[in-house]
Amino acid sequence: MFLELFFQYLVAGLTYGTIYAIVGIGFNIIYNTTGIINFAQGEFVMLGGMTAVSLYAFLPLPLAILGAVIITMAVGGLIEMVFIRWLVKPSVLRMIIITIGISILVREAGLVLWGEGVRSLPYFTGNEISALSFGGVRVSPQVLWSLGVCAIVVVLLNLFFKFTMLGREMRACAANRDAATLCGIPTRNMITLSFVLSAGIGALAGCVVSPITQTQYAIGSGLAIKGFTVAILGGLGNSMAAVAAGFILGILESFSIWVMPTAYKDAISISLLLAMLFLRPSGLFGNREAFKLKDF
Amino acid sequence: MLRVHNLSAGYGSLHVLRRLSLHVKPGEIVTIIGANGAGKSTLLRTITGLLRASSGEVLFKGEDIQRIPPEQVVFRGCSLVPEGRQVFAAMPVRENLLLGAYVQHKRGKRDEVAHDLDRVFGLFPVLRQREHQLAGTLSGGEQQMLAIGRALMARPTLIMLDEPSMGLAPLIVKDIFHIIAKIRDEGCTVLLVEQNARSALKIANRGYVLETGRIILEGDAGDLLANREIQRAYLGKDLDGENK
């Protein structure tokens, strides 16, 4: 019984871990090309989930998800072009405040569009009571979906950033924008691209976890804090590490319910965030040497 | 090749360049010498378009490049090696060089990149040894070499260097200036901005002296080296040191 309970908490932790991981990756992508933390990242997850629910009313599920991802990518690109592109050498602080503003704007727009109702997509396979049993531990198939999607996203992203010229250009733009310009790289387009990419990933996450966690207009800001914690915990800019960090946070939260009142769950991520920022700002898996070479 | 005409530029209400004119002919090394704050870096940043001029024009191969975005200036064949190297510190040497070849990729000359890489490694053998090391862990001199190599990867017809000697030991400065001369001999025109007037004038064909945003003197490098006024102000003739 004890072991079963243990694994049940573990699975719950992994489930939340995937979404934290994907939000963390979204932070990393935009951080990697622009050097800014986009606090509207959680809103992309919300937009993805909500749009998919709306589209699902008249489209089959896979098309609804695809549509939601594309629409959110367009919104991400548009946000960059309207609010960020025209800024000439903005300071980091100014960018952060702008993204917080965008996040409030998107959230309120979500409230107007969809109201306060809590919605969710149907389970991709089976329904809320179907479960696969692994030696007494019951796992919803949706958990496997979210784990799988997270894994695919991470692998593809890593291949993209490490081995494609476009990925390398985006990293160059992150490392030193003037120098990237002097190499002939159109840095402004790279920044737009990073918003599009990160919006798409967020939206996909929003769709995959929607059946489990449900979607509402206000879920974004909470996810942004979790995702930020994860990004810091893993080491800013490192997508692979964000995944590991996402699972660590998810599992910690899940097990905290075992020993503490549920209300303290969210305090875990905040304390973890503060502890990391004080003790090891380069992250658990961050390369200290490389961290020192970054500007921010 | 490059003609700057009545150029004025600055930051906000601070005017750094005042109606400045100069020209660079193909195959030359032209040096611009001047003290800290004379406007040397501002001039180069304005030529590449990183900074917008308030008036005047910059003609590169007859085209006014003030009107096009800075990344396009690189495509026209004008590369800048910026002040303070500005290498991509968290990336290995090889990736830095490949990013320099971005322009070549877009020009559809991807197959020439490997050859260009060999050429840069030929000019700077130490970069080949450090190929997989993070650029930020290189010494100052090696980073300067990497920055020059990165600019060369774009196959520029005009390469502009902003204080390549800054913060480097005299022996390394000598190496780097030797290579700059070699780059010119291989057919690339050079515009060299320097505080280290003696080293710059020794390899240059012509020189300009920049003071508070104006050209106060111009001429053949040899004449400038022999000019008593310059010897006193920039070459430190009454002192012993190599540097001013």
Side-chain angles (χ1 to χ4, degrees):
Chain A
M1 186 60 207
F2 174 83
L3 211 59
E4 272 174 33
L5 200 61
F6 177 84
F7 281 111
Q8 211 67 62
Y9 276 118
L10 190 66
V11 169
L14 289 178
T15 312
Y16 279 91
T18 46
I19 183 168
Y20 297 161
I22 295 182
V23 180
I25 291 172
F27 271 113
N28 281 335
I29 292 172
I30 292 185
Y31 173 78
N32 270 339
T33 43
T34 60
I36 60 170
I37 311 287
N38 171 31
F39 282 99
Q41 190 58 39
E43 260 55 49
F44 292 147
V45 180
M46 180 275 284
L47 268 184
M50 293 303 257
T51 312
V53 171
S54 296
L55 290 178
Y56 182 60
F58 52 91
L59 283 176
L61 187 60
L63 281 184
I65 292 175
L66 184 68
V69 169
I70 291 173
I71 289 172
T72 312
M73 283 169 105
V75 172
L78 210 64
I79 283 176
E80 195 279 332
M81 285 192 253
V82 173
F83 296 104
I84 305 207
R85 197 180 181 90
W86 55 272
L87 298 173
V88 184
K89 296 210 188 306
S91 68
V92 169
L93 185 65
R94 190 168 163 207
M95 293 288 251
I96 287 173
I97 289 169
I98 287 175
T99 63
I100 291 176
I102 293 170
S103 127
I104 295 170
L105 192 72
V106 174
R107 187 160 62 239
E108 296 308 311
L111 178 61
V112 172
L113 268 175
W114 290 295
E116 287 181 28
V118 177
R119 301 150 191 236
S120 77
L121 285 174
Y123 279 67
F124 291 6
T125 40
N127 53 41
E128 55 264 48
I129 51 165
S130 62
L132 307 162
S133 186
F134 296 99
V137 183
R138 295 169 61 77
V139 179
S140 160
Q142 195 64 30
V143 170
L144 299 183
W145 271 105
S146 55
L147 282 172
V149 166
C150 175
I152 291 169
V153 164
V154 171
V155 171
L156 288 182
L157 269 183
N158 266 284
L159 292 176
F160 171 72
F161 278 119
K162 283 221 172 83
F163 298 110
T164 68
M165 194 68 191
L166 191 59
R168 201 180 280 144
E169 285 152 26
M170 286 177 78
R171 279 192 296 141
C173 173
N176 188 325
R177 213 188 291 184
D178 273 356
T181 305
L182 291 174
C183 288
I185 297 168
T187 49
R188 282 169 196 270
N189 296 350
M190 294 298 138
I191 293 171
T192 312
L193 189 63
S194 72
F195 271 80
V196 169
L197 199 61
S198 146
I201 289 168
L204 187 63
C207 295
V208 176
V209 299
S210 167
I212 311 172
T213 64
Q214 314 210 296
T215 317
Q216 196 218 3
Y217 82 99
I219 59 163
S221 48
L223 282 175
I225 291 175
K226 301 289 169 66
F228 182 52
T229 308
V230 163
I232 294 283
L233 186 60
L236 264 179
N238 187 343
S239 325
M240 239 6 163
V243 176
F247 288 137
I248 292 175
L249 180 62
I251 290 167
L252 273 180
E253 279 192 1
S254 161
F255 279 99
S256 75
I257 300 173
W258 208 353
V259 291
M260 288 190 284
T262 324
Y264 288 117
K265 200 177 101 176
D266 289 336
I268 302 266
S269 62
I270 303 282
S271 349
L272 207 57
L273 176 61
L274 290 177
M276 283 310 288
L277 287 176
F278 282 128
L279 299 176
R280 207 188 146 104
S282 60
L284 281 183
F285 313 100
N287 181 342
R288 283 187 184 190
E289 193 182 13
F291 184 77
K292 277 189 211 136
L293 303 174
K294 289 184 180 167
D295 316 325
F296 167 62
Chain B
M1 170 151 286
L2 180 75
R3 183 172 292 276
V4 175
H5 191 65
N6 273 342
L7 189 70
S8 300
Y11 305 90
S13 60
L14 179 69
H15 301 291
V16 181
L17 304 179
R18 300 149 199 267
R19 300 176 65 79
L20 180 150
S21 299
L22 60 85
H23 69 277
V24 181
K25 288 180 281 192
E28 282 188 311
I29 293 182
V30 171
T31 184
I32 298 170
I33 57 177
N36 248 336
K40 303 189 300 294
S41 298
T42 308
L43 172 62
L44 291 193
R45 289 178 68 83
T46 313
I47 292 175
T48 47
L50 285 174
L51 195 70
R52 289 279 158 219
S54 43
S55 68
E57 52 183 12
V58 179
L59 296 174
F60 181 64
K61 294 177 186 164
E63 179 190 15
D64 190 356
I65 53 174
Q66 279 295 301
R67 292 166 200 282
I68 59 179
E71 60 266 17
Q72 284 298 320
V73 174
V74 187
F75 275 85
R76 308 293 154 101
C78 174
S79 286
L80 170 67
V81 181
E83 185 179 15
R85 317 355 144 189
Q86 312 287 342
V87 295
F88 300 116
M91 289 192 204
V93 167
R94 187 188 170 81
E95 285 194 13
N96 269 270
L97 292 174
L98 289 177
L99 280 163
Y102 173 82
V103 174
Q104 284 292 84
H105 270 261
K106 292 286 151 173
R107 283 178 186 146
K109 293 185 174 166
R110 195 170 300 206
D111 38 323
E112 292 178 19
V113 171
H115 170 262
D116 291 348
L117 205 57
D118 268 346
R119 177 181 165 227
V120 169
F121 284 151
L123 282 172
F124 306 107
V126 66
L127 292 184
R128 195 193 292 276
Q129 293 165 26
R130 305 259 189 271
E131 192 177 341
H132 302 291
Q133 213 169 305
L134 293 186
T137 65
L138 301 183
S139 72
E142 289 163 351
Q143 287 192 19
Q144 186 62 55
M145 293 176 192
L146 179 57
I148 297 174
R150 186 178 62 190
L152 288 176
M153 290 299 288
R155 287 274 187 101
T157 44
L158 171 68
I159 186 167
M160 304 190 291
L161 299 112
D162 195 347
E163 298 229 19
S165 76
M166 190 164 68
L168 302 183
L171 216 58
I172 296 165
V173 173
K174 207 174 152 192
D175 271 1
I176 285 182
F177 276 73
H178 181 69
I179 286 163
I180 294 171
K182 205 162 152 190
I183 291 168
R184 186 255 328 258
D185 296 341
E186 287 179 6
C188 185
T189 310
V190 179
L191 177 59
L192 172 64
V193 156
E194 260 302 339
Q195 244 185 101
N196 188 337
R198 183 190 305 274
S199 299
L201 286 170
K202 270 185 187 160
I203 60 163
N205 302 83
R206 291 188 301 117
Y208 290 89
V209 180
L210 188 63
E211 224 175 75
T212 55
R214 289 190 180 88
I215 300 287
I216 55 158
L217 203 62
E218 59 174 289
D220 283 338
D223 294 347
L224 290 179
L225 263 177
N227 183 309
R228 293 185 64 87
E229 192 61 21
I230 293 186
Q231 284 179 357
R232 187 190 55 75
Y234 296 100
L235 303 175
K237 262 287 145 77
D238 43 357
L239 303 167
D240 289 336
E242 167 76 23
N243 296 326
K244 69 164 200 99

